[in-house]
Amino acid sequence: AQSVAQPEDQVNVAEGNPLTVKCTYSVSGNPYLFWYVQYPNRGLQFLLKYITGDNLVKGSYGFEAEFNKSQTSFHLKKPSALVSDSALYFCAVFPPRRGSTLGRLYFGRGTQLTVWP
Amino acid sequence: DGGITQSPKYLFRKEGQNVTLSCEQNLNHDAMYWYRQDPGQGLRLIYYSQIVNDFQKGDIAEGYSVSREKKESFPLTVTSAQKNPTAFYLCASSIAHFSGANVLTFGAGSRLTVL
């Protein structure tokens, strides 16, 4: 079964400190990996994706994510958090194989990030 | 500006009534999706459509129905058979369905409350 885990429901950090939002996955093959962000009462916005190549992926708003194949993880990071980064963050996985999993994303449950001044 | 428009933003329904949520996109995307979001449960796929006049059930299709008569439109009907319809509904689209490299573009969502 395909699955995505975000082990922390909430992450709290002080403004200016580095932040990490964790994501691990369990899928067959070499998956494509995504991070999306959701602000209150809004749809999701794409942040970044990993398809292949360099394990460190840079995305929007200063975010980056590190793909670790041996640990099956794709943690989202930012060197210096801003209050405006406070939002709900979703990790998503696309298993690149044919069959019943063709063409769809599997989302984690989301992690609420709060950055306090 | 290109994007996805969902309407209405807020909707109240009495038990036993069917309601239809609208989703329109002007991105010329082939694939469209409906997700349901409940607190602490992430996004669950209801239905998706790869091309006009074709759609498939997702993980929680029971009590829902869709149509895809036009490329731009993918309305979702929440029927009275859906036992717990109160939720936030998100529509999304992507250029094509089969490539995982495609990014989903989301609408702003519709919040349905059953009274």
Side-chain angles (χ1 to χ4, degrees):
Chain A
Q2 323 294 342
S3 69
V4 183
Q6 293 182 242
E8 301 158 316
D9 291 334
Q10 290 204 359
V11 171
N12 300 311
V13 298
E15 188 172 34
N17 283 1
L19 69 87
T20 299
V21 182
K22 296 179 180 178
C23 173
T24 60
Y25 61 89
S26 174
V27 301
S28 304
N30 297 313
Y32 301 158
L33 301 158
F34 301 80
W35 276 102
Y36 285 83
V37 61
Q38 184 182 34
Y39 298 98
N41 295 312
R42 303 290 296 175
L44 277 67
Q45 298 175 29
F46 168 75
L47 271 182
L48 51 79
K49 65 182 179 182
Y50 172 83
I51 304 299
T52 187
D54 194 348
N55 289 344
L56 186 63
V57 179
K58 295 189 181 298
S60 306
Y61 313 120
F63 283 93
E64 57 190 25
E66 186 170 12
F67 170 63
N68 187 317
K69 187 173 182 178
S70 63
Q71 297 185 5
T72 62
S73 67
F74 190 55
H75 300 332
L76 181 70
K77 300 181 180 183
K78 188 173 183 182
S80 179
L82 300 172
V83 172
S84 58
D85 293 330
S86 298
L88 186 59
Y89 290 81
F90 289 96
C91 181
V93 174
F94 179 91
R97 48 175 279 183
R98 298 196 175 276
S100 63
T101 57
L102 181 65
R104 59 162 297 179
L105 282 177
Y106 292 84
F107 283 88
R109 293 190 171 191
T111 298
Q112 180 66 48
L113 172 67
T114 301
V115 182
W116 71 83
Chain B
D1 288 337
I4 298 180
T5 301
Q6 289 187 240
S7 62
K9 191 171 179 63
Y10 299 96
L11 184 61
F12 297 90
R13 186 194 95 176
K14 294 182 179 179
E15 284 192 26
Q17 289 181 334
N18 293 354
V19 294
T20 297
L21 307 181
S22 171
C23 178
E24 302 279 333
Q25 54 100 358
N26 61 2
L27 299 167
N28 199 33
H29 284 175
D30 289 313
M32 298 187 74
Y33 312 79
W34 274 105
Y35 289 91
R36 170 178 170 146
Q37 184 178 14
D38 297 281
Q41 295 197 45
L43 274 68
R44 292 184 289 172
L45 184 63
I46 305 173
Y47 268 99
Y48 60 100
S49 169
Q50 304 166 28
I51 56 173
V52 174
N53 293 323
D54 183 65
F55 49 83
Q56 286 81 41
K57 294 181 178 180
D59 299 323
I60 56 165
E62 185 175 353
Y64 300 97
S65 66
V66 293
S67 63
R68 187 85 186 275
E69 297 177 359
K70 298 186 300 182
K71 186 176 184 178
E72 307 80 33
S73 179
F74 191 42
L76 174 74
T77 297
V78 184
T79 75
S80 57
Q82 169 52 233
K83 298 304 179 187
N84 186 20
T86 296
F88 191 52
Y89 291 88
L90 288 163
C91 180
S93 69
S94 63
I95 293 174
H97 185 71
F98 294 101
S99 170
N102 294 329
V103 172
L104 293 183
T105 299
F106 282 84
S110 293
R111 186 168 297 281
L112 173 62
T113 303
V114 174
L115 303 174

